[in-house]
Amino acid sequence: MQTGMNLASLLDALGVDLARHEGGDLQAVSPIDGAVMARLRADSAAATEQKIARAQAAFEAWRMVPAPRRGELVRLFGDELRAHKEELGRLVTMEAGKILQEGLGEVQEMIDICDFAVGLSRQLYGLTIASERPGHRMMETWHPLGVVGVISAFNFPVAVWSWNAALAFVCGNSVVWKPSEKTPLTAIATQALFERAMRRFGNDAPDGLSELVIGGREAGQALVDDPRVPLVSATGSTRMGKAVAQRCASRLARSILELGGNNAMIVAPSADLELATRAIVFSAAGTAGQRCTTLRRLFVHESVHEQLVPRLKKAFASLPVGNPLEAGTLVGPLVDAAAFAGMQAALSAARGQGGEVTGGERVSVPGCGDGFYVRPALAEMPAQSGIMHQETFAPILYIVRYRELSEAIAWNNAVPQGLSSSIFTNDLREAEAFLASSGSDCGIANVNIGPSGAEIGGAFGGEKETGGGRESGSDAWKAYMRRATNTINYSRALPLAQGISFDA
């Protein structure tokens, strides 16, 4: 078995002592062939509490380390990722099922956010604000927040943690990470690489700065409910995000939520159809449709519909579906049987709502008998019906004709989710209308590129049931810090604001 042959050497190269974690009921299963790669011990409630306590103690020391020095630790971690990109990327593929190029790309995202965070460590700037009182100065300063809880999903098992952790570390925080129970090995390997970086960094990096909690829903709830965790960043389903938001709100803690995406693209009359076709195929079929930014809804102008849809059918039918570790594969497996069942239920619903479905069947892959491989599906719909308002985490692309741009934008905005969106057009007016305040209501709106494949330099996140949180670039760092407004009186008088007189 290919996954088993490589696992021990990969983990050894990544510095993982698997014996420290083995011996429990939590199975790490490869989507490639359904093989159990390891049986791990889940952390008990007591163990989780101890890890949070260590993280709290680490925070109290780490916040005193100058921010540029904190950035040096993240730089060293980036070096470890560069040195082990091949091994960690391959492990991502084995445990999450995405093709090897995407596994390597995920590690590159981690490297990129480390580079971003290193520069950020010298730019955690505040403001100087004009005071209405003579001889006074106002300023705004940013301070470390505390223990940051990170709950990540299977589809980006390490990159999303790094978006949060790299910023949290340079901002002076400690991190407790609860990865998806479907992808514990990649988390263990990432933690091992970070511990290597800490050893190289020296004594300024306190024990407990990065803690890893292995387990299921109970472990996540313990992290979310702990009063020592002022911020929880959670990535996953809208159902999960609502539960996290409610539990955090009950103790007035902060949350960063990156939840469901039900992303659309508009193909306008002036679109470059060759460019659009390439973007559609990658955005809809990449990662076997298991990205939060996967293209799920396609609105095609009636004037180009008959040219575009046959191209898409041909492209989807010819996509190489197979073992994601093998060169040439572009579509790997769904994560598990439940994902396959969800896809088939959605396709059945689409047919029942008048859709014409092409593809979607299970594909047999030699040597991967227990993996759930599928042909990406196209569903030509008479209108945007009920099934299109739901996010199905699988490679299904719904196609609807449109006549007026205004109706396509309205359809884009009509679903509960609001993560990513795009338009293909060479008409400046259409592009600007799509990006305007009356255009797409999503957190990401693109022109002439697909909705997936965001760069780390921009803030990542969406609106409505996507959660409203922002991670990664731009000024997302501010969520990981607390803001203080300071007023300094350097005069010998004590004037009050608003001209109030209060003389005793």
Side-chain angles (χ1 to χ4, degrees):
M1 181 182 65
Q2 192 166 8
T3 55
M5 288 169 57
N6 295 328
L7 182 61
S9 59
L10 279 180
L11 295 178
D12 184 63
L14 291 165
V16 174
D17 180 5
L18 198 56
R20 291 173 50 196
H21 305 277
E22 285 185 311
D25 297 328
L26 182 64
Q27 294 185 347
V29 177
S30 175
I32 294 175
D33 55 8
V36 177
M37 297 190 291
R39 290 179 171 84
L40 307 175
R41 293 190 307 275
D43 284 299
S44 64
T48 300
E49 193 280 333
Q50 290 170 4
K51 291 182 177 184
I52 295 172
R54 284 199 296 269
Q56 174 64 26
F59 161 70
E60 293 171 3
W62 186 240
R63 65 183 173 182
M64 304 305 295
V65 177
R69 175 70 175 147
R70 299 193 298 249
E72 173 64 9
L73 173 59
V74 175
R75 186 191 69 79
L76 292 172
F77 179 51
D79 286 348
E80 293 293 337
L81 292 170
R82 284 182 172 89
H84 298 89
K85 178 179 176 179
E86 174 68 30
E87 294 90 346
L88 185 56
R90 184 170 288 270
L91 185 60
V92 167
T93 292
M94 292 167 63
E95 193 171 40
K98 59 179 64 178
I99 64 172
L100 184 55
Q101 279 298 306
E102 291 187 89
L104 296 171
E106 178 159 354
V107 182
Q108 186 60 50
E109 277 195 64
M110 302 175 76
I111 295 167
D112 292 345
I113 195 63
C114 285
D115 288 348
F116 179 91
V118 172
L120 178 65
S121 70
R122 295 181 180 271
Q123 299 180 74
L124 300 174
Y125 47 78
L127 299 171
T128 298
I129 304 165
S131 173
E132 67 186 57
R133 290 171 283 189
H136 286 60
R137 180 170 64 87
M138 291 178 64
M139 66 180 185
E140 177 183 274
T141 53
W142 293 87
H143 299 288
L145 182 63
V147 179
V148 175
V150 178
I151 299 173
S152 58
F154 80 88
N155 59 328
F156 279 84
V158 289
V160 171
W161 169 83
S162 71
W163 295 354
N164 289 275
L167 299 192
F169 291 139
V170 300
C171 288
N173 304 310
S174 57
V175 175
V176 179
W177 179 17
K178 208 296 286 184
S180 168
E181 58 269 33
K182 296 179 182 179
T183 51
L185 292 178
T186 47
I188 291 170
T190 300
Q191 176 72 7
L193 292 179
F194 187 76
E195 289 173 356
R196 281 185 180 177
M198 288 179 63
R199 289 192 292 271
R200 292 173 58 196
F201 183 74
N203 293 333
D204 281 349
D207 291 341
L209 185 59
S210 176
E211 290 286 347
L212 181 63
V213 174
I214 299 297
R217 182 176 181 180
E218 296 77 13
Q221 287 181 349
L223 182 61
V224 168
D225 291 343
D226 197 292
R228 293 166 296 183
V229 182
L231 171 65
V232 176
S233 177
T235 301
S237 68
T238 297
R239 177 190 57 78
M240 180 274 287
K242 287 180 177 179
V244 169
Q246 290 168 5
R247 298 180 87 98
C248 285
S250 70
R251 59 183 182 88
L252 300 181
R254 303 185 195 177
S255 59
I256 299 173
L257 302 176
E258 202 286 284
L259 312 174
N262 191 0
N263 315 293
M265 179 193 293
I266 298 170
V267 179
S270 64
D272 180 331
L273 295 186
E274 181 179 351
L275 196 66
T277 299
R278 290 165 54 197
I280 291 165
V281 173
F282 171 72
S283 298
T287 325
Q290 296 171 118
R291 289 179 178 234
C292 53
T293 54
T294 291
L295 176 62
R296 308 199 185 281
R297 299 175 296 136
L298 182 65
F299 306 125
V300 183
H301 192 267
E302 59 186 11
S303 66
V304 294
H305 183 275
E306 300 308 319
Q307 300 173 62
L308 180 61
V309 173
R311 293 188 188 199
L312 295 177
K313 288 182 177 179
K314 181 179 179 181
F316 272 50
S318 62
L319 280 170
V321 178
N323 187 324
L325 289 168
E326 294 181 355
T329 296
L330 293 181
V331 181
L334 295 173
V335 69
D336 54 24
F340 176 75
M343 179 179 182
Q344 299 309 306
L347 292 176
S348 178
R351 293 186 185 97
Q353 293 167 24
E356 180 182 320
V357 175
T358 304
E361 69 276 9
R362 191 171 180 181
V363 175
S364 177
V365 176
C368 302
D370 290 331
F372 287 87
Y373 295 82
V374 294
R375 173 66 51 194
L378 294 171
E380 298 174 75
M381 306 297 291
Q384 180 163 255
S385 58
I387 189 60
M388 293 178 64
H389 288 249
Q390 303 172 24
E391 180 190 37
T392 301
F393 229 52
I396 301 173
L397 181 61
Y398 303 102
I399 304 173
V400 179
R401 298 174 189 250
Y402 80 91
R403 179 169 295 174
E404 300 293 336
L405 180 61
S406 58
E407 67 178 343
I409 292 176
W411 294 341
N412 175 83
N413 297 346
V415 298
Q417 310 85 358
L419 178 53
S420 191
S421 59
S422 69
I423 186 172
F424 271 75
T425 180
N426 286 320
D427 185 322
L428 177 64
R429 291 183 177 87
E430 288 186 327
E432 291 295 337
F434 182 74
L435 300 178
S437 58
S438 56
S440 171
D441 66 356
C442 297
I444 300 170
N446 297 332
V447 176
N448 291 334
I449 65 170
S452 63
E455 299 179 32
I456 60 91
F460 183 89
E463 302 302 322
K464 301 186 296 189
E465 287 194 357
T466 301
R470 294 297 186 273
E471 300 167 325
S472 193
S474 184
D475 65 349
W477 61 271
K478 293 180 178 179
Y480 303 86
M481 304 197 82
R482 61 176 180 87
R483 185 195 320 238
T485 300
N486 315 121
T487 304
I488 300 98
N489 179 4
Y490 58 90
S491 75
R492 295 186 181 277
L494 192 65
L496 301 179
Q498 294 85 48
I500 294 173
S501 177
F502 196 81
D503 295 327

